[in-house]
Amino acid sequence: MNIIILIFVWMKSRYYIFLFFLLLAVGCRQRTVMPLLEKAESLMNNSPDSSQLLLESIESPEELPIEEYATWCLLVTQARDKNYVEHTSDSIIDIAVRYFAGKEDPHRKAHAYYCKGRVLSDLDFSEEALDAYLKAKEFVQETTDYPLQARICNHLGTLYWENFDKLNSLKNYKEAYQAYLQCQDTIGLVSVLRNIGDGMLALTRLDSASFYLNQAWKLAEQGNVYSQKPYVLSSLGVLYEEQGEYEKALDMNKKALSYIEGETFLSSRYYAIGD
């Protein structure tokens, strides 16, 4: 009888030992990296390259708790986008969209659908990208994230423009302008003013085009927005050409050449000067 009791105790102790190590293994798999995710998100705007390195240093993110994995999927897509890494698949961002779509967090929803739009744009799925941006716009209006609202409206303006819907394009560009004003983003303001000016040019509303493009140039000069100056100058060149002021058009295109840009931009300016 004693032997039977001893065997029973021994087997029971083995069971608890096995259960202990099982729970320990589960606990290890359910590790938390939330502090790393929070740090990566804090670096996103000013140091997106550091944010991306931090996020991609996390091993086996798919083994994280679902909330952390979905957050990782969202943040790593955002970091790659900010670092101009071309998106080749929507599988990662889809995980974030599916998770946050079921949560009562309009900011995360807006961010997830915005990143979905960026990915789909890279994949040349323009209609699907448009739907994603429209959903992002719906949710971002429930927040005070004006930089995100500006980016969403700006991309919507571009997509509508590419689909020959100039009126909706201008509407969204103007909404982006108001959002950029709220967050005092000079680079964004210059860019979207130029976009509106180009839209007015396409509609042959030359007085309006002149107003917006000259506003863009004034802001670019005041804020020393070097990256936008050649594009504003080239648009002014087109405006003056349309107005028959060829000397001014020539001057704008020559000035644009003083800003080093890619071969495509340079060749188009040389062509315009020759013309």
Side-chain angles (χ1 to χ4, degrees):
M1 180 63 107
N2 289 335
I3 293 174
I4 294 172
I5 294 172
L6 285 172
I7 291 171
F8 175 77
V9 170
W10 176 75
M11 290 180 66
K12 193 173 182 181
S13 65
R14 287 192 62 185
Y15 168 76
Y16 282 118
I17 291 170
F18 170 76
L19 184 61
F20 169 78
F21 282 109
L22 178 62
L23 290 172
L24 183 64
V26 170
C28 290
R29 283 201 299 273
Q30 293 295 314
R31 71 194 191 281
T32 178
V33 294
M34 192 56 77
L36 284 178
L37 296 176
E38 290 171 352
K39 179 63 176 176
E41 190 163 18
S42 71
L43 293 169
M44 191 69 71
N45 289 328
N46 296 322
S47 302
D49 52 340
S50 299
S51 180
Q52 183 180 343
L53 284 172
L54 189 58
L55 289 163
E56 292 182 346
S57 72
I58 297 173
E59 295 183 3
S60 305
E62 67 279 0
E63 295 178 5
L64 295 169
I66 182 58
E67 181 182 3
E68 294 188 17
Y69 182 38
T71 303
W72 180 87
C73 289
L74 174 58
L75 295 178
V76 81
T77 304
Q78 185 183 359
R80 289 169 182 171
D81 188 59
K82 282 183 172 290
N83 287 311
Y84 305 102
V85 176
E86 186 175 358
H87 305 289
T88 57
S89 170
D90 62 352
S91 58
I92 290 177
I93 191 58
D94 271 350
I95 293 166
V97 169
R98 285 197 300 271
Y99 179 79
F100 290 113
K103 301 298 177 181
E104 296 299 323
D105 187 341
H107 188 256
R108 282 295 196 212
K109 286 181 183 180
H111 235 133
Y113 279 112
Y114 167 74
C115 288
K116 175 82 171 177
R118 296 294 304 124
V119 171
L120 292 170
S121 291
D122 273 3
L123 297 174
D124 293 324
F125 296 139
S126 61
E127 289 187 14
E128 292 88 343
L130 184 64
D131 288 340
Y133 285 134
L134 286 171
K135 286 179 181 176
K137 184 179 179 181
E138 175 188 345
F139 292 120
V140 82
Q141 289 172 347
E142 299 178 39
T143 76
T144 56
D145 190 341
Y146 295 111
L148 179 59
Q149 183 178 336
R151 292 197 300 274
I152 292 167
C153 290
N154 206 17
H155 285 296
L156 274 169
T158 300
L159 267 180
Y160 278 124
W161 181 265
E162 290 172 351
N163 285 282
F164 307 103
D165 189 344
K166 294 183 176 63
L167 294 179
N168 262 322
S169 174
L170 287 171
K171 175 179 177 291
N172 279 277
Y173 280 143
K174 288 179 179 179
E175 289 179 22
Y177 174 79
Q178 292 300 323
Y180 280 129
L181 271 181
Q182 289 284 347
C183 55
Q184 299 181 333
D185 184 337
T186 304
I187 296 174
L189 284 169
V190 173
S191 174
V192 79
L193 281 169
R194 185 223 169 192
N195 287 337
I196 296 171
D198 285 346
M200 295 299 179
L201 269 173
L203 294 170
T204 64
R205 294 166 59 180
L206 300 187
D207 288 342
S208 294
S210 177
F211 172 79
Y212 286 109
L213 291 174
N214 278 294
Q215 282 291 104
W217 178 248
K218 182 180 177 181
L219 266 181
E221 284 278 76
Q222 288 175 349
N224 195 27
V225 185
Y226 187 93
S227 61
Q228 291 293 322
K229 285 184 177 182
Y231 302 106
V232 177
L233 287 168
S234 65
S235 292
L236 282 167
V238 175
L239 169 67
Y240 289 132
E241 186 177 357
E242 288 293 315
Q243 292 175 328
E245 298 184 65
Y246 299 112
E247 289 294 335
K248 285 186 177 181
L250 188 61
D251 184 47
M252 293 297 105
N253 281 291
K254 284 182 176 179
K255 281 183 179 178
L257 283 179
S258 64
Y259 299 91
I260 300 172
E261 291 294 332
E263 290 183 8
T264 302
F265 177 81
L266 288 173
S267 63
S268 66
R269 289 313 94 213
Y270 280 122
Y271 184 88
I273 290 168
D275 190 48

